[in-house]
PDB file of all heavy atoms in Angstrom:
ATOM      1  N   ALA M 249    -122.827  73.566  14.174  1.00  0.00           N
ATOM      2  CA  ALA M 249    -121.946  73.360  13.020  1.00  0.00           C
ATOM      3  C   ALA M 249    -120.521  73.753  13.375  1.00  0.00           C
ATOM      4  O   ALA M 249    -120.288  74.710  14.125  1.00  0.00           O
ATOM      5  CB  ALA M 249    -122.424  74.188  11.828  1.00  0.00           C
ATOM      6  N   THR M 250    -119.553  73.003  12.842  1.00  0.00           N
ATOM      7  CA  THR M 250    -118.148  73.335  13.056  1.00  0.00           C
ATOM      8  C   THR M 250    -117.721  74.450  12.103  1.00  0.00           C
ATOM      9  O   THR M 250    -118.430  74.807  11.163  1.00  0.00           O
ATOM     10  CB  THR M 250    -117.264  72.106  12.835  1.00  0.00           C
ATOM     11  OG1 THR M 250    -117.382  71.676  11.466  1.00  0.00           O
ATOM     12  CG2 THR M 250    -117.676  70.965  13.753  1.00  0.00           C
ATOM     13  N   ASP M 251    -116.544  74.999  12.334  1.00  0.00           N
ATOM     14  CA  ASP M 251    -116.075  76.116  11.518  1.00  0.00           C
ATOM     15  C   ASP M 251    -115.518  75.633  10.179  1.00  0.00           C
ATOM     16  O   ASP M 251    -115.190  74.462  10.008  1.00  0.00           O
ATOM     17  CB  ASP M 251    -115.025  76.929  12.265  1.00  0.00           C
ATOM     18  CG  ASP M 251    -113.753  76.129  12.534  1.00  0.00           C
ATOM     19  OD1 ASP M 251    -113.848  74.891  12.635  1.00  0.00           O
ATOM     20  OD2 ASP M 251    -112.680  76.728  12.636  1.00  0.00           O
ATOM     21  N   TYR M 252    -115.423  76.549   9.224  1.00  0.00           N
ATOM     22  CA  TYR M 252    -114.761  76.293   7.947  1.00  0.00           C
ATOM     23  C   TYR M 252    -114.197  77.624   7.455  1.00  0.00           C
ATOM     24  O   TYR M 252    -114.523  78.690   7.964  1.00  0.00           O
ATOM     25  CB  TYR M 252    -115.718  75.667   6.930  1.00  0.00           C
ATOM     26  CG  TYR M 252    -116.899  76.525   6.552  1.00  0.00           C
ATOM     27  CD1 TYR M 252    -116.852  77.363   5.439  1.00  0.00           C
ATOM     28  CD2 TYR M 252    -118.085  76.495   7.302  1.00  0.00           C
ATOM     29  CE1 TYR M 252    -117.934  78.143   5.081  1.00  0.00           C
ATOM     30  CE2 TYR M 252    -119.159  77.274   6.947  1.00  0.00           C
ATOM     31  CZ  TYR M 252    -119.088  78.089   5.837  1.00  0.00           C
ATOM     32  OH  TYR M 252    -120.157  78.865   5.488  1.00  0.00           O
ATOM     33  N   ARG M 253    -113.312  77.544   6.452  1.00  0.00           N
ATOM     34  CA  ARG M 253    -112.659  78.754   5.952  1.00  0.00           C
ATOM     35  C   ARG M 253    -112.421  78.628   4.460  1.00  0.00           C
ATOM     36  O   ARG M 253    -112.439  77.528   3.903  1.00  0.00           O
ATOM     37  CB  ARG M 253    -111.326  78.965   6.666  1.00  0.00           C
ATOM     38  CG  ARG M 253    -110.388  77.797   6.553  1.00  0.00           C
ATOM     39  CD  ARG M 253    -109.069  78.020   7.255  1.00  0.00           C
ATOM     40  NE  ARG M 253    -108.257  76.816   7.274  1.00  0.00           N
ATOM     41  CZ  ARG M 253    -107.574  76.351   6.240  1.00  0.00           C
ATOM     42  NH1 ARG M 253    -107.606  77.002   5.081  1.00  0.00           N
ATOM     43  NH2 ARG M 253    -106.857  75.257   6.339  1.00  0.00           N
ATOM     44  N   SER M 254    -112.184  79.754   3.825  1.00  0.00           N
ATOM     45  CA  SER M 254    -111.836  79.749   2.415  1.00  0.00           C
ATOM     46  C   SER M 254    -110.404  79.258   2.258  1.00  0.00           C
ATOM     47  O   SER M 254    -109.575  79.419   3.159  1.00  0.00           O
ATOM     48  CB  SER M 254    -112.003  81.138   1.810  1.00  0.00           C
ATOM     49  OG  SER M 254    -111.134  82.063   2.446  1.00  0.00           O
ATOM     50  N   LYS M 255    -110.102  78.666   1.104  1.00  0.00           N
ATOM     51  CA  LYS M 255    -108.768  78.090   0.893  1.00  0.00           C
ATOM     52  C   LYS M 255    -107.673  79.159   0.909  1.00  0.00           C
ATOM     53  O   LYS M 255    -106.522  78.872   1.213  1.00  0.00           O
ATOM     54  CB  LYS M 255    -108.756  77.331  -0.430  1.00  0.00           C
ATOM     55  CG  LYS M 255    -109.643  76.073  -0.437  1.00  0.00           C
ATOM     56  CD  LYS M 255    -109.067  74.986   0.435  1.00  0.00           C
ATOM     57  CE  LYS M 255    -109.870  73.701   0.367  1.00  0.00           C
ATOM     58  NZ  LYS M 255    -109.820  73.028  -0.939  1.00  0.00           N
ATOM     59  N   ASP M 256    -108.010  80.403   0.596  1.00  0.00           N
ATOM     60  CA  ASP M 256    -107.015  81.469   0.630  1.00  0.00           C
ATOM     61  C   ASP M 256    -106.919  82.157   1.991  1.00  0.00           C
ATOM     62  O   ASP M 256    -106.208  83.155   2.155  1.00  0.00           O
ATOM     63  CB  ASP M 256    -107.293  82.509  -0.459  1.00  0.00           C
ATOM     64  CG  ASP M 256    -108.661  83.176  -0.285  1.00  0.00           C
ATOM     65  OD1 ASP M 256    -109.330  82.929   0.737  1.00  0.00           O
ATOM     66  OD2 ASP M 256    -109.060  83.941  -1.189  1.00  0.00           O
ATOM     67  N   ASP M 257    -107.669  81.629   2.984  1.00  0.00           N
ATOM     68  CA  ASP M 257    -107.659  82.153   4.359  1.00  0.00           C
ATOM     69  C   ASP M 257    -108.213  83.565   4.486  1.00  0.00           C
ATOM     70  O   ASP M 257    -108.051  84.209   5.533  1.00  0.00           O
ATOM     71  CB  ASP M 257    -106.250  82.113   4.962  1.00  0.00           C
ATOM     72  CG  ASP M 257    -105.845  80.713   5.381  1.00  0.00           C
ATOM     73  OD1 ASP M 257    -106.736  79.953   5.820  1.00  0.00           O
ATOM     74  OD2 ASP M 257    -104.652  80.373   5.259  1.00  0.00           O
ATOM     75  N   ALA M 258    -108.879  84.062   3.457  1.00  0.00           N
ATOM     76  CA  ALA M 258    -109.454  85.402   3.544  1.00  0.00           C
ATOM     77  C   ALA M 258    -110.708  85.418   4.414  1.00  0.00           C
ATOM     78  O   ALA M 258    -111.004  86.423   5.073  1.00  0.00           O
ATOM     79  CB  ALA M 258    -109.783  85.925   2.146  1.00  0.00           C
ATOM     80  N   VAL M 259    -111.469  84.325   4.420  1.00  0.00           N
ATOM     81  CA  VAL M 259    -112.735  84.246   5.158  1.00  0.00           C
ATOM     82  C   VAL M 259    -112.714  83.029   6.064  1.00  0.00           C
ATOM     83  O   VAL M 259    -112.318  81.931   5.644  1.00  0.00           O
ATOM     84  CB  VAL M 259    -113.935  84.145   4.186  1.00  0.00           C
ATOM     85  CG1 VAL M 259    -115.245  84.010   4.974  1.00  0.00           C
ATOM     86  CG2 VAL M 259    -113.979  85.347   3.260  1.00  0.00           C
ATOM     87  N   ARG M 260    -113.119  83.237   7.287  1.00  0.00           N
ATOM     88  CA  ARG M 260    -113.277  82.127   8.229  1.00  0.00           C
ATOM     89  C   ARG M 260    -114.654  82.240   8.883  1.00  0.00           C
ATOM     90  O   ARG M 260    -114.986  83.288   9.439  1.00  0.00           O
ATOM     91  CB  ARG M 260    -112.192  82.153   9.300  1.00  0.00           C
ATOM     92  CG  ARG M 260    -112.288  80.993  10.301  1.00  0.00           C
ATOM     93  CD  ARG M 260    -111.233  81.093  11.379  1.00  0.00           C
ATOM     94  NE  ARG M 260    -111.311  79.982  12.322  1.00  0.00           N
ATOM     95  CZ  ARG M 260    -110.663  78.841  12.183  1.00  0.00           C
ATOM     96  NH1 ARG M 260    -109.882  78.655  11.139  1.00  0.00           N
ATOM     97  NH2 ARG M 260    -110.788  77.880  13.086  1.00  0.00           N
ATOM     98  N   VAL M 261    -115.437  81.174   8.793  1.00  0.00           N
ATOM     99  CA  VAL M 261    -116.753  81.113   9.424  1.00  0.00           C
ATOM    100  C   VAL M 261    -116.623  80.231  10.656  1.00  0.00           C
ATOM    101  O   VAL M 261    -116.314  79.038  10.555  1.00  0.00           O
ATOM    102  CB  VAL M 261    -117.815  80.542   8.454  1.00  0.00           C
ATOM    103  CG1 VAL M 261    -119.171  80.443   9.153  1.00  0.00           C
ATOM    104  CG2 VAL M 261    -117.917  81.417   7.209  1.00  0.00           C
ATOM    105  N   GLY M 262    -116.808  80.820  11.819  1.00  0.00           N
ATOM    106  CA  GLY M 262    -116.640  80.086  13.064  1.00  0.00           C
ATOM    107  C   GLY M 262    -117.782  79.126  13.331  1.00  0.00           C
ATOM    108  O   GLY M 262    -118.776  79.077  12.610  1.00  0.00           O
ATOM    109  N   SER M 263    -117.620  78.327  14.365  1.00  0.00           N
ATOM    110  CA  SER M 263    -118.676  77.402  14.751  1.00  0.00           C
ATOM    111  C   SER M 263    -119.955  78.175  15.055  1.00  0.00           C
ATOM    112  O   SER M 263    -119.921  79.296  15.563  1.00  0.00           O
ATOM    113  CB  SER M 263    -118.250  76.578  15.959  1.00  0.00           C
ATOM    114  OG  SER M 263    -117.960  77.418  17.056  1.00  0.00           O
ATOM    115  N   ALA M 264    -121.079  77.574  14.714  1.00  0.00           N
ATOM    116  CA  ALA M 264    -122.380  78.234  14.880  1.00  0.00           C
ATOM    117  C   ALA M 264    -123.365  77.249  15.476  1.00  0.00           C
ATOM    118  O   ALA M 264    -123.209  76.028  15.351  1.00  0.00           O
ATOM    119  CB  ALA M 264    -122.893  78.743  13.528  1.00  0.00           C
TER     120      ALA M 264
END
Side-chain angles (χ1 to χ4, degrees):
T250 63
D251 65 332
Y252 62 93
R253 56 180 173 77
S254 62
K255 293 290 184 67
D256 61 7
D257 284 326
V259 178
R260 181 183 181 90
V261 178
S263 59

